Amino acid sequence: MTLLRKTALMLALAVAPVALAATKAPNPTVPELGLRSTNGFDSQVYLGTGKGVTIAVLDAGMDVTHPAIRGSVSLSKDFTGQDTVDDDKGATGHATGIASILVGHDASYFNGFAPAAKILNGRITTADDQISDLWAGNGLGWAVKNNAKIVNLSLGNRLGKGALTDKFNLMADYVAERYGVNVVAAAGNENDTAVAQAPGGSYNGYAVGATGAAGAKGRSDYNRVTWFSNYAQPTDARTKPDLVAPGANIDLAAANWEKRANYYSGTGTSFAAPMVGGVLAQLIGYGKSKDLPTDPLLLKAVVLTSAGKARKFEGEAWAARRVRRDNDYGFRYSQPLDEEQGAGRLDGVAAYRLYARQSSKNTPLNTWKRASLKEDQSYPVKLGKFYAGQRVDATLTWYRHVAIKDKNDNGPDGKDSYWQSATLADFTLTLLRDGVPVAQSDSDVDNLEHLSWILQTDGNYSLEVYRFDGSGAESEAFAVAARVVKGDPVVAAALAARPASAVAAGGVTRGMGELVVVPEPGGVGVAALAAVGLLGRRRRGVRRD
């Protein structure tokens, strides 16, 4: 079985204790560097610390007496039949560290993203990595029945190569729509597909990859995807992960703290996932206090739209997987996320500004909408007058619908049957300038669309959400979030200097401010598109640091 949660199954990813002694406050420039790089502590000033929010950590149990999480665990239950809800005190553990990222509150020693939140400790795996759909499903059902709005699943396996099956993905999608639960899963550490996974392959939840490649002087700058983080392979029609967060050399609470150091340094996508969950807890707590909607559709649109564009493992800029010229829509993105980082890197402050619709000098527009569409209907979103060199980020989300046969008449659990109850609705998200389409996200295999587009010319911009006929439910709820980011002066100057012929042909700026003038398709043009990665990507070989 391939589970993400254990040291032995993390590809030997340096999960060794470090000297963060309980009797001495650590150097403030060293601990929590990975956590701080998400702006997840800065966002507490605006969003709060998750008060009134319940988070379920479904794992192998945790040490509820650790100073970083003591008092935060409101309920524990074992689903494995081994009659323990504790982490492995003979080792550094796993879930204890995850809980510390979420709710850590050890004074000056260690802080988490949402220390005011409460934790449900559900043990669904054994110490030797035994798991099943039944145990995992029972734990997930228990979590939602106890009002968890975030579920952290830092575990999983490739479909067909472990005990978890697509049934668990279906259940995750069911509780997201039916109970409003944000299911956050680790994408995996095998440098393999992030799509064909359970639970990371769910549609309505999140799969989270890891950043942390070495930067200057060998220190992680957390702006580059790690070599081990699972990604969308060329054979994957869908794209995962949804986004990335720091997952290398992360400071964590240790389950064996009574005998050794209180904290240790861990590496893996297991520890990136709770960073997303922690920011979601902040958003939910804030939303409840401001009477804002907190449904998973809106929060996912907000978190993905506000993500920063990072770098791939080899240093390339963020780029949509597949795009082509289209006579009607300018540029059409059929695989709109990056294969390694999804929508980009988690940013807590940017998520706040978007959710709260707060504009700033660097982000002159933050907005979102929720609505529903029947077949062959459209929904306009006016953005306003913006300028060449500025960037529009936008994400559209909707649900995959899953039905249940409740065999015990007691709500969802691992004994029930789940199935997709309707075909996936087909939406497009189009960016228009003065009413003329310039770019469109049009994936027909996933339940999100995403655009990250640097404006080519000044104009009045808008978005259009359109739903095709022939799929989905009669009426489909959706959420769309959008922001406009301050322009890069270098990019703006390059745009202004383009010859008129290039403007007429249509150019596209993508990624981290890199300007690519795309030629007309055909002949040499097609070769040039392939050269800049617009028609696909080369297969990435296995790498070892």
Side-chain angles (χ1 to χ4, degrees), residues 358-366 386 390 484-487:
Q358 295 288 324
S359 61
S360 68
K361 181 179 179 180
N362 292 326
T363 313
L365 176 73
N366 280 300
F386 295 104
Q390 293 179 317
V484 176
V485 180
K486 179 182 178 181

Side-chain angles (χ1 to χ4, degrees), residues 324-345:
R324 64 176 176 81
R325 285 291 298 272
D326 186 283
N327 290 335
D328 296 320
Y329 294 100
F331 287 88
R332 179 175 171 268
Y333 293 82
S334 56
Q335 292 176 314
L337 294 180
D338 184 278
E339 76 279 4
E340 293 186 23
Q341 57 175 296
R345 187 181 70 176

Side-chain angles (χ1 to χ4, degrees), residues 137 144 207 254 349 355 366 448:
V144 300
V349 171
Y355 188 41
N366 280 300
L448 67 83

